[in-house]
Amino acid sequence: MSTSDLSRAQMMSRGAAATAIIDDIHAPSATVITPSVLFVDQSGQLGGAEFSMLPLAVAWVARREVLLLSDGPFRSRLESQGVKVHLTLDHGVSRIRKEGVRLGWLGTLPGIVRQVRAIARQAEDFDVLFLNTQKALVLGALGKPLHRKPIIWHLHDIMSREHFGVMQRLMVKWLTRYAVDGIIANSHASAASLVALTDCRPEAVPVVHNGVDVREFSSVDADDIGTLRRRLGLPEGVYLAGLFGRLAPWKGQHIALEALARMPDVHLVLVGSALFGEQRYAESLHRQAARLGVADRVHFAGFRDDMPAWMKAVDVILHTSTEAEPFGRVIIEGMAAGRPVIAAAAGGVVEIVRHRKNGWLVEPGMPALLAEAIETLRAAPELAQRIADQALNDVMQYFSLDGYLAQMKRAMVAVTG
Ligand code: UDP
Ligand code: GLC
C-alpha cells in the first residue's frame, strides 16, 4: 500500500471511530450530568500530553482539580487559567523512567505507596479519576481499592516494546483489565497497540484526536515574515526549516541535522528543549552540527511559549521522529500555522497527513529522503502553498479544539454513565 493509500484508509477509519464515539452516547446532552473530575498527570513539564489535558481541565464545566506528581511550568499554566492544582511529590518515584521500571524500583516502594494513598485521598471528593500519563495510571489504578472511583485513562502512547519496558507493559495490561473503567486513545495507532497488548475489544478503546485552537495561530501576523524573523532573532532572506518539540533521541533532531548537511544553503531552527532528562542528547546535537559543518546554519531556540509565531516564521516544518509517533501535536499546529509540514510516516502521523494533499510523508529515519522532500517543496512554492492551504482546512475540519473538547466530554461522560 502506498503512503497515500495508507493515509486515506486511516482517514476513513478515523471517521468511523468518531461516529462510534458519538453513537455510543444516546443520552441527549441536556440530561447528561457532567461528573466532577480529578485530573492526574505525572509531569510538571509542558509536553504534548499536558497540552492536550490543559484545555480540557480549563473548560470542564463541573468541579475539577488537577493533581500533579511533579512541579513545573504546567502547574503555573493551569493556575493562571483558574484551575486549582495540588502537588504530591516523591523524588524516588519521579526518577522512575518509562523504560526503566526494573528491580531497582523496589527501593522506591514506600514512595509508591505514599503516592497511591495521596491520589486516592484526593480522588475521594470527585466522581471520576482522569489519569493522563503512564505513571498516573499505575499509581491511580493501584489505589482503586481505596478510592473506588471510576477511572478514565487517556492513552497518549504507543505501547510497543520500542517505547516501554516489560514491567510497564505488564502493569498496563493488568491494570487496564482490572482497574480502568474507560480508555480514550489519542490515535488509532496508540489504540491498536493497546488492543494488541491487552487483547481487549477495539471498541473498548475509542479514539479522540488532539485539537488545536486555530485562532491562536491566525492572530499572529506573518504577512511580513522579515519583521517576524527579526523579532525572533532568526535569519532573514534564507530558506528556513523548523523542527518543533522536545529534544529527545526518538524525536530525531539528529536526522534533520544530517539532512541539512546535504543542502548547502538551507537553515534550520530547532525549537524545544530536553524536558525529560535528555540533556546528553541535546549536547550531542551541538557536537553533531559542528562535525557536519552546519553549526552556522542551525539555530537552537530552546523552549518557547509562542509556538504560532515561531511556526509562522519558517518556510517548512519538519517532523522527524524515528519511532512511531503516537499522535504528534506539532504536526497539527504546523498545519494550523499554514505552513507545509513534512512528517515521518509512522504511528498516528498517517492519521493526520495525506501525502501531497495536506502535507508530505517521508520514511522515518532517512536524512536523504528528508532532504529530497525539503528541496522538492522549496523548488515548488505553489505546490507547498496548496498543501499548506489544504492543511489549514483539514485542521479546522478534523482537528479543532472545540471538536476535541466535545468528543472528549462525550467519551468521558459515556464512561461514567
Ligand atoms: N512545545 C512548546 N514549546 C517548545 C516546544 C514544544 O510549546 O519549545 C509544545 C508544542 O507546541 C506541542 C507540544 O509541546 O504542543 C509537543 O507535543 P507533541 O505531541 O508534538 O510531542 P510530545 O513531546 O508530547 O511527544
Ligand atoms: C504524547 C505523544 C504525542 C502526542 C501527545 C498528545 O506526548 O508522544 O505524539 O501528540 O501525547 O496526545
Side-chain angles (χ1 to χ4, degrees):
M1 203 190 254
S2 74
T3 41
S4 53
D5 289 342
L6 186 65
S7 53
R8 246 194 314 278
Q10 299 271 11
M11 291 285 279
M12 284 164 68
S13 68
R14 178 178 70 210
T19 319
I21 295 166
I22 292 160
D23 286 346
D24 274 347
I25 317 302
H26 298 301
S29 55
T31 64
V32 169
I33 297 166
T34 309
S36 60
V37 180
L38 179 68
F39 293 90
V40 187
D41 192 291
Q42 75 200 44
S43 177
Q45 296 299 334
L46 286 160
E50 289 69 35
F51 275 116
S52 100
M53 196 186 93
L54 179 70
L56 190 61
V58 170
W60 197 254
V61 290
R63 205 165 63 82
R64 55 27 180 165
E65 289 173 12
V66 170
L67 179 62
L68 297 182
L69 310 185
S70 306
D71 200 1
F74 187 30
R75 175 169 64 87
S76 25
R77 275 294 178 98
L78 285 157
E79 286 175 342
S80 69
Q81 297 192 51
V83 181
K84 186 167 180 187
V85 181
H86 305 270
L87 293 174
T88 168
L89 311 175
D90 188 286
H91 189 57
V93 180
S94 304
R95 280 200 342 252
I96 302 174
R97 299 250 166 253
K98 63 179 190 176
E99 65 290 342
V101 190
R102 303 204 177 90
L103 277 186
W105 68 273
L106 276 177
T108 61
L109 213 53
I112 291 176
V113 172
R114 269 197 303 276
Q115 296 266 39
V116 167
R117 286 211 178 118
I119 296 173
R121 240 189 338 267
Q122 293 284 349
E124 274 167 20
D125 296 336
F126 295 86
D127 297 323
V128 185
L129 199 51
F130 181 98
L131 307 175
N132 196 47
T133 54
Q134 295 279 332
K135 217 177 280 175
L137 165 74
V138 173
L139 300 171
L142 282 176
K144 179 120 180 186
L146 301 176
H147 57 72
R148 295 163 187 264
K149 300 289 178 177
I151 291 178
I152 297 174
W153 178 32
H154 197 179
L155 169 63
H156 293 281
D157 299 301
I158 293 182
M159 294 304 310
S160 64
R161 283 194 189 84
E162 289 75 41
H163 280 285
F164 293 96
V166 182
M167 283 291 281
Q168 178 68 16
R169 279 163 48 88
L170 211 62
M171 275 198 283
V172 163
K173 190 168 166 172
W174 291 101
L175 291 173
T176 50
R177 197 169 286 172
Y178 298 112
V180 173
D181 300 86
I183 302 165
I184 304 166
N186 65 351
S187 68
H188 292 281
S190 299
S193 73
L194 190 70
V195 171
L197 176 69
T198 60
D199 256 343
C200 68
R201 289 175 302 115
E203 306 79 69
V205 193
V207 173
V208 178
H209 287 129
N210 277 231
V212 285
D213 189 352
V214 176
R215 284 161 301 196
E216 281 182 18
F217 290 81
S218 52
S219 64
V220 176
D221 178 15
D223 281 348
D224 182 359
I225 204 163
T227 307
L228 189 56
R229 284 191 187 175
R230 247 192 322 278
R231 174 159 77 77
L232 300 175
L234 288 169
E236 293 169 56
V238 298
Y239 190 80
L240 181 63
L243 179 45
F244 305 87
R246 59 197 162 94
L247 306 180
W250 74 275
K251 291 290 186 181
Q253 280 87 3
H254 58 287
I255 302 291
L257 291 184
E258 278 186 46
L260 195 67
R262 294 166 179 267
M263 301 175 293
D265 49 358
V266 172
H267 284 238
L268 172 70
V269 57
L270 297 176
V271 181
S273 60
L275 289 187
F276 304 115
E278 298 95 346
Q279 205 49 48
R280 292 240 296 269
Y281 178 67
E283 285 155 17
S284 80
L285 291 173
H286 288 273
R287 284 198 303 274
Q288 185 193 5
R291 198 172 57 245
L292 292 169
V294 297
D296 56 335
R297 293 189 283 124
V298 183
H299 312 274
F300 288 88
F303 187 90
R304 297 293 171 159
D305 267 332
D306 46 349
M307 289 301 261
W310 286 86
M311 287 185 160
K312 287 200 161 193
V314 305
D315 295 293
V316 64
I317 290 178
L318 313 180
H319 165 268
T320 53
S321 293
T322 54
E323 286 168 30
E325 180 76 53
F327 178 75
R329 283 183 62 85
V330 285
I331 297 173
I332 55 171
E333 290 169 350
M335 292 162 74
R339 291 293 175 266
V341 180
I342 301 174
V349 173
V350 295
E351 298 165 37
I352 307 170
V353 178
R354 293 178 293 135
H355 186 50
R356 299 182 77 106
K357 300 283 194 300
N358 67 359
W360 202 273
L361 291 171
V362 290
E363 203 179 315
M366 304 292 280
L369 297 182
L370 179 61
E372 202 179 297
I374 296 170
E375 291 293 18
T376 304
L377 289 178
R378 184 188 185 187
E382 281 173 14
L383 172 66
Q385 189 58 52
R386 208 166 50 242
I387 285 175
D389 291 344
Q390 185 61 49
L392 183 54
N393 280 335
D394 284 2
V395 165
M396 291 193 283
Q397 190 168 352
Y398 302 115
F399 304 103
S400 72
L401 180 63
D402 292 345
Y404 164 75
L405 292 175
Q407 285 191 56
M408 284 298 289
K409 182 176 173 187
R410 277 193 218 120
M412 288 167 71
V413 168
V415 173
T416 54

Short mmCIF file of all heavy atoms in Angstrom, two decimals, residues 46-52 77 156-157 186 210 212 217 243-248 250-251 270-273 275-276 301-308 310-311 319 321 325-333, ligand 1:
data_model
loop_
_atom_site.label_atom_id
_atom_site.label_comp_id
_atom_site.label_asym_id
_atom_site.label_seq_id
_atom_site.Cartn_x
_atom_site.Cartn_y
_atom_site.Cartn_z
N LEU A 46 5.83 20.86 30.25
CA LEU A 46 4.81 21.04 29.21
C LEU A 46 5.14 20.18 28.00
O LEU A 46 5.84 20.60 27.09
CB LEU A 46 4.73 22.52 28.82
CG LEU A 46 4.05 23.40 29.87
CD1 LEU A 46 4.42 24.85 29.67
CD2 LEU A 46 2.55 23.21 29.83
N GLY A 47 4.63 18.95 27.99
CA GLY A 47 4.74 18.08 26.82
C GLY A 47 3.38 17.99 26.16
O GLY A 47 2.40 18.62 26.61
N GLY A 48 3.30 17.20 25.09
CA GLY A 48 2.05 17.11 24.33
C GLY A 48 0.88 16.60 25.17
O GLY A 48 -0.25 17.09 25.03
N ALA A 49 1.14 15.63 26.05
CA ALA A 49 0.05 15.08 26.86
C ALA A 49 -0.52 16.17 27.77
O ALA A 49 -1.73 16.26 28.00
CB ALA A 49 0.55 13.90 27.69
N GLU A 50 0.37 17.02 28.26
CA GLU A 50 -0.06 18.09 29.17
C GLU A 50 -0.82 19.17 28.37
O GLU A 50 -1.84 19.68 28.82
CB GLU A 50 1.14 18.69 29.90
CG GLU A 50 1.76 17.76 30.94
CD GLU A 50 2.46 16.53 30.34
OE1 GLU A 50 3.05 16.66 29.25
OE2 GLU A 50 2.39 15.44 30.95
N PHE A 51 -0.32 19.48 27.17
CA PHE A 51 -1.02 20.47 26.35
C PHE A 51 -2.40 19.97 25.94
O PHE A 51 -3.29 20.75 25.65
CB PHE A 51 -0.20 20.84 25.11
CG PHE A 51 0.81 21.91 25.38
CD1 PHE A 51 2.17 21.66 25.25
CD2 PHE A 51 0.41 23.18 25.76
CE1 PHE A 51 3.12 22.65 25.50
CE2 PHE A 51 1.34 24.18 26.02
CZ PHE A 51 2.69 23.91 25.88
N SER A 52 -2.56 18.65 25.87
CA SER A 52 -3.87 18.16 25.48
C SER A 52 -4.82 18.13 26.69
O SER A 52 -6.02 18.28 26.55
CB SER A 52 -3.75 16.79 24.78
OG SER A 52 -4.04 15.74 25.62
N ARG A 77 0.75 27.21 34.41
CA ARG A 77 -0.18 27.35 33.28
C ARG A 77 -1.62 27.07 33.71
O ARG A 77 -2.55 27.79 33.38
CB ARG A 77 0.16 26.34 32.19
CG ARG A 77 1.21 26.75 31.22
CD ARG A 77 0.74 27.92 30.35
NE ARG A 77 1.83 28.26 29.49
CZ ARG A 77 1.95 27.84 28.23
NH1 ARG A 77 1.01 27.13 27.68
NH2 ARG A 77 2.99 28.17 27.52
N HIS A 156 -1.75 8.27 25.68
CA HIS A 156 -1.02 9.14 24.74
C HIS A 156 0.15 8.41 24.10
O HIS A 156 0.98 9.05 23.44
CB HIS A 156 -0.47 10.37 25.48
CG HIS A 156 -1.52 11.30 25.98
ND1 HIS A 156 -2.17 12.21 25.16
CD2 HIS A 156 -2.06 11.47 27.21
CE1 HIS A 156 -3.04 12.91 25.88
NE2 HIS A 156 -3.00 12.47 27.12
N ASP A 157 0.27 7.10 24.33
CA ASP A 157 1.49 6.39 23.91
C ASP A 157 1.18 5.17 23.06
O ASP A 157 0.11 4.57 23.17
CB ASP A 157 2.24 5.88 25.15
CG ASP A 157 2.67 7.02 26.06
OD1 ASP A 157 3.40 7.89 25.59
OD2 ASP A 157 2.23 7.03 27.22
N ASN A 186 -5.24 8.65 21.94
CA ASN A 186 -5.02 9.86 21.14
C ASN A 186 -4.88 9.57 19.64
O ASN A 186 -4.82 10.49 18.84
CB ASN A 186 -3.79 10.63 21.66
CG ASN A 186 -2.49 9.85 21.49
OD1 ASN A 186 -2.51 8.66 21.14
ND2 ASN A 186 -1.37 10.50 21.72
N ASN A 210 -6.20 14.81 19.07
CA ASN A 210 -5.97 16.13 19.67
C ASN A 210 -6.54 17.22 18.76
O ASN A 210 -6.69 17.02 17.53
CB ASN A 210 -4.47 16.41 19.79
CG ASN A 210 -3.84 15.79 21.03
OD1 ASN A 210 -3.17 16.47 21.78
ND2 ASN A 210 -4.06 14.51 21.26
N VAL A 212 -6.44 21.72 18.04
CA VAL A 212 -5.75 22.99 18.36
C VAL A 212 -6.68 24.17 18.10
O VAL A 212 -7.60 24.08 17.28
CB VAL A 212 -4.47 23.20 17.52
CG1 VAL A 212 -3.34 22.31 17.99
CG2 VAL A 212 -4.72 23.03 16.03
N PHE A 217 -3.34 30.81 16.13
CA PHE A 217 -2.40 30.90 15.00
C PHE A 217 -2.76 32.05 14.08
O PHE A 217 -1.89 32.75 13.58
CB PHE A 217 -2.37 29.57 14.24
CG PHE A 217 -1.72 28.47 15.05
CD1 PHE A 217 -2.42 27.78 16.01
CD2 PHE A 217 -0.38 28.18 14.86
CE1 PHE A 217 -1.81 26.80 16.78
CE2 PHE A 217 0.25 27.19 15.62
CZ PHE A 217 -0.48 26.50 16.58
N LEU A 243 11.97 22.76 13.22
CA LEU A 243 11.64 21.49 13.88
C LEU A 243 11.26 21.84 15.31
O LEU A 243 12.04 22.45 16.03
CB LEU A 243 12.84 20.55 13.81
CG LEU A 243 12.76 19.17 14.44
CD1 LEU A 243 11.46 18.47 14.12
CD2 LEU A 243 13.92 18.31 13.95
N PHE A 244 10.03 21.46 15.70
CA PHE A 244 9.48 21.92 16.97
C PHE A 244 9.20 20.74 17.88
O PHE A 244 8.56 19.78 17.47
CB PHE A 244 8.17 22.70 16.71
CG PHE A 244 8.37 23.83 15.74
CD1 PHE A 244 8.27 23.61 14.36
CD2 PHE A 244 8.71 25.09 16.19
CE1 PHE A 244 8.48 24.64 13.47
CE2 PHE A 244 8.93 26.13 15.30
CZ PHE A 244 8.82 25.90 13.93
N GLY A 245 9.68 20.83 19.09
CA GLY A 245 9.40 19.74 20.03
C GLY A 245 10.59 19.50 20.92
O GLY A 245 11.69 19.99 20.66
N ARG A 246 10.34 18.72 21.97
CA ARG A 246 11.42 18.49 22.93
C ARG A 246 12.58 17.75 22.26
O ARG A 246 12.36 16.98 21.31
CB ARG A 246 10.91 17.72 24.13
CG ARG A 246 10.31 16.39 23.81
CD ARG A 246 9.49 15.94 25.01
NE ARG A 246 8.56 14.91 24.65
CZ ARG A 246 8.82 13.61 24.77
NH1 ARG A 246 10.00 13.20 25.19
NH2 ARG A 246 7.89 12.73 24.45
N LEU A 247 13.78 18.01 22.77
CA LEU A 247 14.96 17.35 22.23
C LEU A 247 15.06 15.98 22.87
O LEU A 247 15.21 15.85 24.08
CB LEU A 247 16.21 18.18 22.51
CG LEU A 247 16.16 19.65 22.05
CD1 LEU A 247 17.48 20.37 22.38
CD2 LEU A 247 15.87 19.76 20.55
N ALA A 248 14.92 14.94 22.07
CA ALA A 248 14.98 13.55 22.57
C ALA A 248 15.38 12.68 21.39
O ALA A 248 14.96 12.95 20.25
CB ALA A 248 13.61 13.12 23.11
N TRP A 250 14.44 9.93 20.11
CA TRP A 250 13.42 9.39 19.19
C TRP A 250 12.64 10.47 18.45
O TRP A 250 11.94 10.17 17.49
CB TRP A 250 12.48 8.41 19.91
CG TRP A 250 11.46 9.02 20.84
CD1 TRP A 250 11.65 9.36 22.14
CD2 TRP A 250 10.09 9.34 20.53
NE1 TRP A 250 10.49 9.88 22.67
CE2 TRP A 250 9.51 9.87 21.71
CE3 TRP A 250 9.30 9.23 19.39
CZ2 TRP A 250 8.18 10.30 21.77
CZ3 TRP A 250 7.97 9.65 19.45
CH2 TRP A 250 7.43 10.18 20.63
N LYS A 251 12.83 11.73 18.85
CA LYS A 251 12.20 12.82 18.09
C LYS A 251 13.03 13.16 16.85
O LYS A 251 12.59 13.88 15.98
CB LYS A 251 12.01 14.05 18.97
CG LYS A 251 10.96 13.87 20.06
CD LYS A 251 9.56 13.80 19.46
CE LYS A 251 8.48 13.75 20.54
NZ LYS A 251 7.12 13.66 19.98
N LEU A 270 15.76 24.81 15.60
CA LEU A 270 15.26 23.76 16.50
C LEU A 270 14.62 24.45 17.70
O LEU A 270 15.31 25.12 18.48
CB LEU A 270 16.40 22.86 16.97
CG LEU A 270 17.14 22.04 15.91
CD1 LEU A 270 18.29 21.27 16.53
CD2 LEU A 270 16.19 21.08 15.21
N VAL A 271 13.32 24.33 17.82
CA VAL A 271 12.60 24.96 18.94
C VAL A 271 12.20 23.86 19.92
O VAL A 271 11.49 22.93 19.54
CB VAL A 271 11.35 25.72 18.44
CG1 VAL A 271 10.63 26.38 19.61
CG2 VAL A 271 11.74 26.75 17.40
N GLY A 272 12.65 23.99 21.16
CA GLY A 272 12.34 22.97 22.15
C GLY A 272 13.57 22.69 22.99
O GLY A 272 14.68 23.07 22.61
N SER A 273 13.36 22.04 24.12
CA SER A 273 14.50 21.72 24.99
C SER A 273 14.37 20.28 25.47
O SER A 273 13.38 19.62 25.19
CB SER A 273 14.53 22.70 26.18
OG SER A 273 13.32 22.56 26.89
N LEU A 275 13.25 17.99 27.89
CA LEU A 275 12.32 18.13 29.02
C LEU A 275 12.45 17.01 30.04
O LEU A 275 12.19 17.19 31.21
CB LEU A 275 10.86 18.11 28.50
CG LEU A 275 10.35 19.32 27.73
CD1 LEU A 275 8.86 19.17 27.47
CD2 LEU A 275 10.62 20.59 28.49
N PHE A 276 12.79 15.83 29.57
CA PHE A 276 12.73 14.67 30.46
C PHE A 276 14.10 14.01 30.62
O PHE A 276 14.26 12.81 30.42
CB PHE A 276 11.67 13.68 29.97
CG PHE A 276 10.30 14.31 29.83
CD1 PHE A 276 9.69 14.44 28.59
CD2 PHE A 276 9.65 14.80 30.95
CE1 PHE A 276 8.44 15.04 28.48
CE2 PHE A 276 8.40 15.41 30.84
CZ PHE A 276 7.79 15.52 29.61
N ALA A 301 16.80 27.35 19.54
CA ALA A 301 15.98 28.41 20.15
C ALA A 301 15.58 28.09 21.58
O ALA A 301 15.08 28.96 22.30
CB ALA A 301 14.72 28.64 19.31
N GLY A 302 15.75 26.83 22.03
CA GLY A 302 15.29 26.45 23.37
C GLY A 302 13.78 26.34 23.42
O GLY A 302 13.10 26.45 22.39
N PHE A 303 13.24 26.14 24.63
CA PHE A 303 11.78 26.02 24.77
C PHE A 303 11.14 27.39 24.60
O PHE A 303 11.59 28.37 25.15
CB PHE A 303 11.42 25.45 26.15
CG PHE A 303 9.95 25.15 26.28
CD1 PHE A 303 9.45 23.91 25.92
CD2 PHE A 303 9.06 26.13 26.71
CE1 PHE A 303 8.08 23.63 26.01
CE2 PHE A 303 7.70 25.87 26.80
CZ PHE A 303 7.22 24.61 26.45
N ARG A 304 10.07 27.44 23.83
CA ARG A 304 9.38 28.71 23.57
C ARG A 304 7.90 28.59 23.87
O ARG A 304 7.31 27.53 23.66
CB ARG A 304 9.56 29.11 22.10
CG ARG A 304 10.99 29.37 21.72
CD ARG A 304 11.50 30.60 22.43
NE ARG A 304 12.92 30.78 22.25
CZ ARG A 304 13.53 31.95 22.42
NH1 ARG A 304 12.85 33.02 22.77
NH2 ARG A 304 14.83 32.05 22.26
N ASP A 305 7.34 29.71 24.31
CA ASP A 305 5.92 29.71 24.66
C ASP A 305 5.03 30.13 23.50
O ASP A 305 3.83 29.88 23.53
CB ASP A 305 5.68 30.70 25.81
CG ASP A 305 5.75 29.98 27.13
OD1 ASP A 305 5.45 28.77 27.14
OD2 ASP A 305 6.12 30.61 28.14
N ASP A 306 5.63 30.81 22.52
CA ASP A 306 4.81 31.37 21.44
C ASP A 306 5.01 30.58 20.15
O ASP A 306 5.56 31.09 19.17
CB ASP A 306 5.15 32.85 21.25
CG ASP A 306 6.66 33.10 21.22
OD1 ASP A 306 7.43 32.16 21.55
OD2 ASP A 306 7.08 34.21 20.85
N MET A 307 4.53 29.33 20.16
CA MET A 307 4.72 28.46 19.00
C MET A 307 4.13 29.02 17.71
O MET A 307 4.75 28.89 16.65
CB MET A 307 4.12 27.07 19.27
CG MET A 307 4.91 26.29 20.27
SD MET A 307 6.61 26.06 19.73
CE MET A 307 6.50 24.44 19.07
N PRO A 308 2.93 29.65 17.73
CA PRO A 308 2.39 30.15 16.46
C PRO A 308 3.37 31.08 15.74
O PRO A 308 3.58 30.96 14.54
CB PRO A 308 1.11 30.89 16.88
CG PRO A 308 0.67 30.16 18.13
CD PRO A 308 1.96 29.81 18.84
N TRP A 310 6.70 31.24 16.04
CA TRP A 310 7.87 30.51 15.57
C TRP A 310 7.53 29.68 14.33
O TRP A 310 8.32 29.58 13.40
CB TRP A 310 8.44 29.63 16.68
CG TRP A 310 9.14 30.46 17.70
CD1 TRP A 310 8.58 31.07 18.78
CD2 TRP A 310 10.54 30.82 17.71
NE1 TRP A 310 9.54 31.79 19.47
CE2 TRP A 310 10.74 31.64 18.84
CE3 TRP A 310 11.62 30.53 16.88
CZ2 TRP A 310 12.00 32.18 19.16
CZ3 TRP A 310 12.87 31.06 17.20
CH2 TRP A 310 13.04 31.87 18.32
N MET A 311 6.35 29.09 14.36
CA MET A 311 5.99 28.25 13.22
C MET A 311 5.74 29.09 11.97
O MET A 311 6.09 28.72 10.87
CB MET A 311 4.75 27.42 13.56
CG MET A 311 5.08 26.30 14.54
SD MET A 311 3.69 25.24 14.85
CE MET A 311 4.52 23.77 15.49
N HIS A 319 8.90 17.13 10.82
CA HIS A 319 8.65 16.22 11.94
C HIS A 319 9.50 15.00 11.63
O HIS A 319 9.38 14.42 10.54
CB HIS A 319 7.16 15.84 12.01
CG HIS A 319 6.90 14.65 12.87
ND1 HIS A 319 6.86 13.36 12.38
CD2 HIS A 319 6.68 14.55 14.21
CE1 HIS A 319 6.63 12.53 13.39
NE2 HIS A 319 6.51 13.22 14.49
N SER A 321 10.43 12.13 13.86
CA SER A 321 10.51 11.04 14.85
C SER A 321 10.97 9.74 14.19
O SER A 321 10.51 9.36 13.11
CB SER A 321 9.15 10.83 15.52
OG SER A 321 8.85 11.96 16.30
N GLU A 325 5.28 7.84 16.03
CA GLU A 325 4.77 8.94 16.86
C GLU A 325 3.33 8.59 17.26
O GLU A 325 2.50 8.33 16.40
CB GLU A 325 4.78 10.23 16.04
CG GLU A 325 4.28 11.46 16.74
CD GLU A 325 5.30 12.02 17.73
OE1 GLU A 325 6.43 12.25 17.34
OE2 GLU A 325 4.91 12.19 18.91
N PRO A 326 3.02 8.63 18.57
CA PRO A 326 1.65 8.29 18.96
C PRO A 326 0.60 9.18 18.29
O PRO A 326 -0.41 8.71 17.79
CB PRO A 326 1.66 8.48 20.48
CG PRO A 326 3.10 8.26 20.87
CD PRO A 326 3.91 8.79 19.73
N PHE A 327 0.83 10.48 18.30
CA PHE A 327 -0.06 11.39 17.55
C PHE A 327 0.78 12.45 16.84
O PHE A 327 0.94 12.41 15.64
CB PHE A 327 -1.11 12.04 18.48
CG PHE A 327 -1.99 13.01 17.75
CD1 PHE A 327 -2.98 12.57 16.89
CD2 PHE A 327 -1.82 14.39 17.89
CE1 PHE A 327 -3.77 13.47 16.17
CE2 PHE A 327 -2.60 15.29 17.18
CZ PHE A 327 -3.58 14.83 16.33
N GLY A 328 1.31 13.41 17.60
CA GLY A 328 2.13 14.46 17.00
C GLY A 328 1.40 15.79 16.94
O GLY A 328 1.02 16.25 15.87
N ARG A 329 1.24 16.41 18.11
CA ARG A 329 0.55 17.70 18.14
C ARG A 329 1.24 18.73 17.25
O ARG A 329 0.59 19.56 16.62
CB ARG A 329 0.55 18.26 19.58
CG ARG A 329 -0.45 17.64 20.50
CD ARG A 329 -0.39 18.32 21.86
NE ARG A 329 -0.73 19.74 21.78
CZ ARG A 329 -1.97 20.20 21.81
NH1 ARG A 329 -2.98 19.37 21.92
NH2 ARG A 329 -2.21 21.51 21.74
N VAL A 330 2.58 18.67 17.24
CA VAL A 330 3.31 19.70 16.47
C VAL A 330 2.91 19.68 15.00
O VAL A 330 3.00 20.69 14.32
CB VAL A 330 4.84 19.56 16.60
CG1 VAL A 330 5.32 20.04 17.96
CG2 VAL A 330 5.32 18.17 16.31
N ILE A 331 2.44 18.54 14.53
CA ILE A 331 2.04 18.47 13.12
C ILE A 331 0.76 19.27 12.89
O ILE A 331 0.68 20.10 11.98
CB ILE A 331 1.88 17.00 12.68
CG1 ILE A 331 3.23 16.29 12.79
CG2 ILE A 331 1.32 16.91 11.26
CD1 ILE A 331 3.17 14.80 12.56
N ILE A 332 -0.24 19.05 13.76
CA ILE A 332 -1.48 19.81 13.54
C ILE A 332 -1.26 21.30 13.83
O ILE A 332 -1.89 22.16 13.23
CB ILE A 332 -2.70 19.25 14.31
CG1 ILE A 332 -2.44 19.11 15.80
CG2 ILE A 332 -3.14 17.91 13.71
CD1 ILE A 332 -3.71 18.76 16.60
N GLU A 333 -0.31 21.60 14.72
CA GLU A 333 -0.01 23.01 14.98
C GLU A 333 0.65 23.63 13.74
O GLU A 333 0.32 24.76 13.34
CB GLU A 333 0.92 23.15 16.19
CG GLU A 333 0.22 22.79 17.50
CD GLU A 333 1.16 22.66 18.69
OE1 GLU A 333 2.40 22.66 18.49
OE2 GLU A 333 0.66 22.52 19.81
N1 UDP B 1 6.14 22.95 22.54
C1 UDP B 1 6.19 24.24 23.07
N2 UDP B 1 7.39 24.88 23.06
C2 UDP B 1 8.53 24.32 22.59
C3 UDP B 1 8.46 23.01 22.06
C4 UDP B 1 7.26 22.36 22.06
O1 UDP B 1 5.17 24.80 23.50
O2 UDP B 1 9.56 24.98 22.62
C5 UDP B 1 4.84 22.26 22.51
C6 UDP B 1 4.30 22.05 21.10
O3 UDP B 1 3.68 23.22 20.66
C7 UDP B 1 3.36 20.87 21.29
C8 UDP B 1 4.00 20.10 22.42
O4 UDP B 1 4.98 20.94 23.01
O5 UDP B 1 2.07 21.29 21.67
C9 UDP B 1 4.67 18.83 21.94
O6 UDP B 1 3.68 17.91 21.68
P1 UDP B 1 3.84 16.67 20.71
O7 UDP B 1 2.59 15.90 20.86
O8 UDP B 1 4.19 17.10 19.36
O9 UDP B 1 5.09 15.85 21.25
P2 UDP B 1 5.44 15.16 22.66
O10 UDP B 1 6.63 15.89 23.16
O11 UDP B 1 4.28 15.28 23.56
O12 UDP B 1 5.74 13.74 22.35
#
